[in-house]
Amino acid sequence: FIIGNVLSVDSSMANLLVAFRNPLLVKIFLWVTILGNWRLVAAIVVVFLILFWLWDKKNYIIPFLASVGGGFVTGAVGKYIWHRPRPLEVAVYMEKSWSFPSGHAILAVTLYGFLIYFFWKHLGRWKNKIDALFLGLLVIILIGFSRLYLGVHYLSDVWAGYMIGLFWLTVGIGLVES
């Protein structure tokens, strides 16, 4: 019963977004989705590992790796276990991996969520903290939405990715705080 409802919502959302698809938004979301691509995420992780070292914030290195790395591995294992096909009938382009869970959504939450946490703790002015929070959440939301708009994921894939990412983000933050 529950799975049937989820599949129905997934299908309805995919069809709704196709109805509102236009070339300009496709171009925009093709750029947005790159922010959650594992290659760019890996590059950003390397940059921040170096910055944490240079800023003498070494206590963030292992938690950061646990957050992003744990999310990445969990997503890969999830794709292997569930083998859910992608919504090919609505896809703007073809992805090579399985659909569930969304790796982009996982990496968005684990990477950008951890950076929100870091900057929240280390930016002095409230305005800067709020700006970092807003920008980070906007990136996370836009990455997830880009996957739906481009038709390469179902809503439940992105939602599951967000939940897995939130788990690993919590682990990373917990490691810093403990």
Side-chain angles (χ1 to χ4, degrees):
F1 175 72
I2 292 174
I3 291 176
N5 287 340
V6 169
L7 296 177
S8 176
V9 169
D10 280 347
S11 180
S12 296
M13 177 62 81
N15 291 327
L16 176 68
L17 290 174
V18 167
F20 288 99
R21 194 176 283 161
N22 75 56
L24 176 61
L25 287 177
V26 167
K27 285 180 184 176
I28 290 169
F29 284 118
L30 283 169
W31 282 102
V32 168
T33 205
I34 291 170
L35 296 173
N37 179 280
W38 72 268
R39 290 172 188 89
L40 179 62
V41 167
I44 294 169
V45 166
V46 169
V47 166
F48 272 92
L49 290 174
I50 293 166
L51 290 173
F52 291 155
W53 187 270
L54 293 174
W55 292 337
D56 199 28
K57 303 293 183 192
K58 296 175 185 81
N59 60 315
Y60 285 88
I61 291 173
I62 297 298
F64 186 48
L65 289 172
S67 178
V68 179
F72 180 80
V73 169
T74 303
V77 169
K79 287 177 183 292
Y80 178 78
I81 290 171
W82 280 287
H83 283 90
R84 183 180 194 188
R86 290 187 181 265
L88 300 177
E89 62 281 356
V90 296
V92 169
Y93 66 95
M94 297 300 141
E95 287 277 9
K96 294 181 176 116
S97 65
W98 298 104
S99 187
F100 185 89
S102 168
H104 279 69
I106 294 169
L107 293 175
V109 173
T110 58
L111 171 65
Y112 300 107
F114 197 92
L115 295 178
I116 290 169
Y117 164 74
F118 175 79
F119 287 117
W120 185 269
K121 289 203 53 128
H122 294 285
L123 292 173
R125 298 179 52 217
W126 273 101
K127 180 197 179 309
N128 295 342
K129 291 176 188 260
I130 298 299
D131 288 347
L133 175 66
F134 178 76
L135 180 62
L137 288 175
L138 182 64
V139 168
I140 292 167
I141 290 165
L142 286 175
I143 289 170
F145 186 76
S146 75
R147 306 306 285 164
L148 300 173
Y149 191 81
L150 297 172
V152 293
H153 275 294
Y154 294 106
L155 180 60
S156 61
D157 301 337
V158 172
W159 185 252
Y162 281 160
M163 294 302 100
I164 292 166
L166 188 58
F167 170 79
W168 283 105
L169 175 60
T170 303
V171 169
I173 291 171
L175 289 171
V176 173
E177 295 292 332
S178 64

